[in-house]
Amino acid sequence: MTFIAPLTTTEAGPEVAATLKAVKTQIGTVPNLYATLAKAPAALNGLLRINEVLAAGTLNASEREIVALAVSQANTCHYCLSAHTLLGKNTGLTIEDTLKARSAGGNTARAAAIAAFAVAVVENRGHVALHDLKQYEAVGLSERDLLEIIANVAATTLTNYANNVAGTELDFPAVAVEVAA
């Protein structure tokens, strides 16, 4: 059930309307998440900016989607699971890849480490054991990778919490929240 409804274009002031228009120009639509966050322009602009900066980082688009899927599963965000399943497909992830990411795994050691580390950050509120950090390092995650994964966890957590509180209506093909064993 929707608690915070998306902002309509007629309700948006000129600055917010311009931001939403830019989103539509860039991705072809204004997802309900962005229209909902538009009610707090600082939140919307912050999310857009961090995503822009993270896109220029060392994690590629598929790896960022692995983080988003793993974190969205950990935070049980139906909206983000649905959105990132589709977005992941657009970056080359298969349905099998998305399900593995949601289960803190992956088809490669690097993908599995990215997903597992992202979940560990969420579940342990950033207190990841040194033993585990050394295991992630052993499969090739650099300090830079770990810090970028944390930044992606933060961005995804923002969207998860916003959607979970707002009850954002799905505008992506729905996926089940539960991952089949």
Side-chain angles (χ1 to χ4, degrees):
M1 179 174 166
T2 300
F3 179 71
I4 302 173
L7 188 70
T8 66
T9 52
T10 57
E11 296 171 322
E15 189 174 309
V16 172
T19 300
L20 293 175
K21 182 179 179 185
V23 167
K24 186 172 184 174
T25 298
Q26 183 176 5
I27 63 176
T29 187
V30 178
N32 284 337
L33 165 65
Y34 293 133
T36 300
L37 283 178
K39 287 191 167 177
L44 174 60
N45 290 328
L47 177 64
L48 293 172
R49 182 69 180 126
I50 194 168
N51 284 339
E52 177 185 330
V53 171
L54 291 173
T58 59
L59 297 180
N60 66 39
S62 294
E63 291 170 335
R64 291 190 310 275
E65 291 303 324
I66 288 168
V67 173
L69 287 158
V71 171
S72 297
Q73 186 68 48
N75 288 324
T76 59
C77 180
H78 190 218
Y79 186 94
C80 287
L81 286 169
S82 298
H84 290 289
T85 295
L86 178 63
L87 295 171
K89 180 181 176 187
N90 293 341
T91 68
L93 295 178
T94 65
I95 291 298
E96 179 184 329
D97 294 332
T98 64
L99 292 172
K100 283 186 178 187
R102 291 175 58 185
S103 298
N107 284 332
T108 66
R110 180 174 171 85
I114 289 169
F117 178 63
V119 170
V121 169
V122 171
E123 291 180 348
N124 298 298
R125 295 186 171 102
H127 298 280
V128 180
L130 181 59
H131 174 271
D132 293 333
L133 292 171
K134 289 185 181 283
Q135 286 184 324
Y136 301 132
E137 182 181 59
V139 297
L141 294 185
S142 67
E143 291 174 347
R144 183 176 182 168
D145 292 332
L146 294 173
L147 292 168
E148 282 193 25
I149 292 167
I150 292 167
N152 278 276
V153 167
T156 302
T157 299
L158 166 65
T159 63
N160 293 166
Y161 287 6
N163 287 313
N164 288 345
V165 168
T168 309
E169 183 179 335
L170 279 178
D171 49 357
F172 289 92
V175 300
V177 174
E178 299 79 27
V179 178

